[in-house]
Short mmCIF file of all heavy atoms in Angstrom, two decimals:
data_model
loop_
_atom_site.label_atom_id
_atom_site.label_comp_id
_atom_site.label_asym_id
_atom_site.label_seq_id
_atom_site.Cartn_x
_atom_site.Cartn_y
_atom_site.Cartn_z
N ASN A 203 37.81 -46.70 -32.70
CA ASN A 203 38.37 -45.78 -33.61
C ASN A 203 39.82 -45.97 -33.73
O ASN A 203 40.53 -45.21 -34.53
CB ASN A 203 38.05 -44.34 -33.15
CG ASN A 203 36.54 -44.11 -33.13
OD1 ASN A 203 35.89 -44.14 -34.15
ND2 ASN A 203 36.02 -43.87 -31.93
N ALA A 204 40.49 -46.91 -33.01
CA ALA A 204 41.89 -47.15 -33.04
C ALA A 204 42.30 -47.65 -34.50
O ALA A 204 41.55 -48.43 -34.98
CB ALA A 204 42.29 -48.13 -32.04
N PRO A 205 43.41 -47.29 -34.97
CA PRO A 205 43.85 -47.68 -36.36
C PRO A 205 43.88 -49.26 -36.49
O PRO A 205 43.46 -49.77 -37.56
CB PRO A 205 45.25 -47.14 -36.54
CG PRO A 205 45.23 -45.97 -35.60
CD PRO A 205 44.37 -46.30 -34.40
N GLU A 206 44.24 -49.94 -35.44
CA GLU A 206 44.35 -51.41 -35.54
C GLU A 206 42.92 -52.04 -35.70
O GLU A 206 42.80 -53.04 -36.39
CB GLU A 206 45.04 -52.02 -34.32
CG GLU A 206 44.49 -51.63 -32.95
CD GLU A 206 45.16 -50.45 -32.35
OE1 GLU A 206 45.60 -49.56 -33.18
OE2 GLU A 206 45.18 -50.30 -31.15
N PHE A 207 41.91 -51.41 -35.07
CA PHE A 207 40.58 -52.01 -35.24
C PHE A 207 40.04 -51.76 -36.66
O PHE A 207 39.43 -52.61 -37.30
CB PHE A 207 39.58 -51.51 -34.19
CG PHE A 207 38.26 -52.12 -34.27
CD1 PHE A 207 38.00 -53.41 -34.03
CD2 PHE A 207 37.15 -51.36 -34.70
CE1 PHE A 207 36.76 -54.02 -34.14
CE2 PHE A 207 35.84 -51.95 -34.74
CZ PHE A 207 35.74 -53.27 -34.49
N LEU A 208 40.28 -50.53 -37.12
CA LEU A 208 39.87 -50.18 -38.51
C LEU A 208 40.53 -51.11 -39.50
O LEU A 208 39.93 -51.60 -40.47
CB LEU A 208 40.18 -48.75 -38.81
CG LEU A 208 39.14 -47.70 -38.50
CD1 LEU A 208 38.84 -47.69 -36.99
CD2 LEU A 208 39.51 -46.33 -39.05
N GLU A 209 41.83 -51.42 -39.26
CA GLU A 209 42.50 -52.34 -40.16
C GLU A 209 41.95 -53.76 -40.09
O GLU A 209 41.77 -54.41 -41.17
CB GLU A 209 44.01 -52.37 -39.82
CG GLU A 209 44.92 -53.13 -40.88
CD GLU A 209 44.85 -52.44 -42.19
OE1 GLU A 209 44.71 -51.19 -42.27
OE2 GLU A 209 44.91 -53.17 -43.19
N LYS A 210 41.54 -54.21 -38.89
CA LYS A 210 40.88 -55.49 -38.74
C LYS A 210 39.61 -55.53 -39.60
O LYS A 210 39.38 -56.58 -40.27
CB LYS A 210 40.60 -55.78 -37.29
CG LYS A 210 39.81 -57.07 -36.97
CD LYS A 210 39.39 -57.14 -35.52
CE LYS A 210 38.65 -58.39 -35.24
NZ LYS A 210 39.56 -59.56 -35.16
N LEU A 211 38.79 -54.47 -39.56
CA LEU A 211 37.63 -54.55 -40.30
C LEU A 211 37.85 -54.57 -41.82
O LEU A 211 37.15 -55.19 -42.59
CB LEU A 211 36.69 -53.34 -39.90
CG LEU A 211 36.16 -53.22 -38.51
CD1 LEU A 211 35.26 -52.01 -38.36
CD2 LEU A 211 35.45 -54.52 -38.14
N ARG A 212 38.88 -53.80 -42.22
CA ARG A 212 39.22 -53.86 -43.72
C ARG A 212 39.67 -55.27 -44.07
O ARG A 212 39.23 -55.78 -45.15
CB ARG A 212 40.42 -52.88 -43.98
CG ARG A 212 39.98 -51.36 -43.86
CD ARG A 212 41.01 -50.55 -44.35
NE ARG A 212 40.76 -49.17 -44.02
CZ ARG A 212 41.30 -48.40 -43.07
NH1 ARG A 212 42.10 -49.03 -42.12
NH2 ARG A 212 40.89 -47.22 -42.78
N ASP A 213 40.46 -55.91 -43.25
CA ASP A 213 40.87 -57.28 -43.55
C ASP A 213 39.74 -58.24 -43.64
O ASP A 213 39.79 -59.19 -44.43
CB ASP A 213 42.01 -57.76 -42.50
CG ASP A 213 43.23 -57.00 -42.59
OD1 ASP A 213 43.52 -56.30 -43.62
OD2 ASP A 213 44.02 -57.03 -41.62
N LEU A 214 38.72 -58.02 -42.84
CA LEU A 214 37.58 -58.90 -42.79
C LEU A 214 36.61 -58.68 -44.00
O LEU A 214 35.80 -59.42 -44.28
CB LEU A 214 36.73 -58.72 -41.54
CG LEU A 214 37.32 -59.22 -40.22
CD1 LEU A 214 36.54 -58.74 -39.02
CD2 LEU A 214 37.41 -60.78 -40.26
N GLY A 215 36.81 -57.55 -44.72
CA GLY A 215 36.08 -57.24 -45.85
C GLY A 215 34.58 -57.03 -45.51
O GLY A 215 33.73 -57.43 -46.23
N ILE A 216 34.34 -56.32 -44.44
CA ILE A 216 32.91 -56.12 -43.98
C ILE A 216 32.22 -55.26 -44.99
O ILE A 216 32.79 -54.32 -45.56
CB ILE A 216 32.83 -55.55 -42.57
CG1 ILE A 216 33.25 -54.10 -42.49
CG2 ILE A 216 33.56 -56.39 -41.57
CD1 ILE A 216 32.81 -53.40 -41.29
N GLU A 217 30.95 -55.50 -45.12
CA GLU A 217 30.05 -54.59 -46.02
C GLU A 217 29.27 -53.66 -45.12
O GLU A 217 28.88 -52.56 -45.56
CB GLU A 217 29.11 -55.48 -46.81
CG GLU A 217 29.81 -56.43 -47.74
CD GLU A 217 28.83 -57.28 -48.49
OE1 GLU A 217 28.21 -56.74 -49.47
OE2 GLU A 217 28.61 -58.49 -48.16
N ILE A 218 28.92 -54.04 -43.93
CA ILE A 218 28.10 -53.17 -43.05
C ILE A 218 28.51 -53.48 -41.62
O ILE A 218 28.87 -54.56 -41.24
CB ILE A 218 26.60 -53.44 -43.25
CG1 ILE A 218 25.73 -52.35 -42.70
CG2 ILE A 218 26.16 -54.83 -42.68
CD1 ILE A 218 24.34 -52.37 -43.26
N LEU A 219 28.47 -52.38 -40.84
CA LEU A 219 28.81 -52.47 -39.35
C LEU A 219 27.55 -52.20 -38.68
O LEU A 219 26.89 -51.16 -38.77
CB LEU A 219 29.85 -51.46 -38.96
CG LEU A 219 30.29 -51.45 -37.55
CD1 LEU A 219 30.96 -52.72 -37.12
CD2 LEU A 219 31.15 -50.22 -37.23
N LEU A 220 27.12 -53.20 -37.84
CA LEU A 220 25.87 -53.11 -37.10
C LEU A 220 26.21 -52.71 -35.66
O LEU A 220 27.12 -53.34 -35.01
CB LEU A 220 25.13 -54.45 -37.11
CG LEU A 220 23.82 -54.53 -36.26
CD1 LEU A 220 22.79 -53.56 -36.67
CD2 LEU A 220 23.28 -56.00 -36.27
N VAL A 221 25.55 -51.68 -35.11
CA VAL A 221 25.82 -51.20 -33.75
C VAL A 221 24.54 -51.07 -32.97
O VAL A 221 23.54 -50.43 -33.39
CB VAL A 221 26.46 -49.79 -33.90
CG1 VAL A 221 26.89 -49.28 -32.48
CG2 VAL A 221 27.68 -49.76 -34.78
N VAL A 222 24.47 -51.74 -31.84
CA VAL A 222 23.25 -51.81 -30.96
C VAL A 222 23.71 -51.63 -29.53
O VAL A 222 24.35 -52.46 -28.90
CB VAL A 222 22.52 -53.16 -31.11
CG1 VAL A 222 21.24 -53.05 -30.25
CG2 VAL A 222 22.15 -53.36 -32.63
N ALA A 223 23.35 -50.50 -28.95
CA ALA A 223 23.66 -50.19 -27.52
C ALA A 223 25.06 -50.58 -27.15
O ALA A 223 25.38 -51.39 -26.21
CB ALA A 223 22.71 -51.04 -26.62
N PHE A 224 26.07 -50.02 -27.93
CA PHE A 224 27.44 -50.40 -27.75
C PHE A 224 28.16 -49.60 -26.77
O PHE A 224 28.84 -50.13 -25.89
CB PHE A 224 28.17 -50.27 -29.07
CG PHE A 224 29.65 -50.56 -29.05
CD1 PHE A 224 30.10 -51.73 -28.54
CD2 PHE A 224 30.50 -49.61 -29.46
CE1 PHE A 224 31.49 -51.97 -28.44
CE2 PHE A 224 31.92 -49.79 -29.42
CZ PHE A 224 32.33 -51.02 -28.90
N GLY A 225 28.03 -48.27 -26.75
CA GLY A 225 28.62 -47.41 -25.75
C GLY A 225 29.85 -46.64 -26.06
O GLY A 225 30.59 -46.15 -25.16
N GLN A 226 30.30 -46.66 -27.36
CA GLN A 226 31.39 -45.83 -27.77
C GLN A 226 30.91 -44.98 -28.96
O GLN A 226 30.11 -45.41 -29.79
CB GLN A 226 32.57 -46.68 -28.12
CG GLN A 226 33.23 -47.42 -26.97
CD GLN A 226 34.50 -48.14 -27.43
OE1 GLN A 226 35.24 -47.69 -28.32
NE2 GLN A 226 34.84 -49.28 -26.78
N LEU A 227 31.55 -43.78 -29.10
CA LEU A 227 31.26 -42.90 -30.21
C LEU A 227 32.12 -43.34 -31.48
O LEU A 227 33.27 -43.55 -31.33
CB LEU A 227 31.55 -41.51 -29.84
CG LEU A 227 31.28 -40.38 -30.88
CD1 LEU A 227 29.84 -40.23 -31.14
CD2 LEU A 227 31.92 -39.08 -30.37
N LEU A 228 31.43 -43.49 -32.58
CA LEU A 228 32.13 -43.81 -33.84
C LEU A 228 32.51 -42.55 -34.57
O LEU A 228 31.68 -41.70 -34.76
CB LEU A 228 31.24 -44.67 -34.74
CG LEU A 228 31.17 -46.23 -34.38
CD1 LEU A 228 30.64 -46.46 -33.04
CD2 LEU A 228 30.39 -46.90 -35.53
#
């Protein structure tokens, strides 16, 4: 949830985020 990670995802132009047994709350 850190701003820098959200910015990374925006820069990557992701369409979907897949989460499997990750261990952090989104």
Side-chain angles (χ1 to χ4, degrees):
N203 301 294
E206 55 268 25
F207 183 68
L208 270 63
E209 190 61 32
K210 176 186 179 74
L211 296 184
R212 290 190 189 98
D213 291 342
L214 288 170
I216 72 164
E217 297 180 79
I218 197 163
L219 179 65
L220 175 62
V221 184
V222 182
F224 175 56
Q226 292 185 31
L227 181 67
L228 278 62

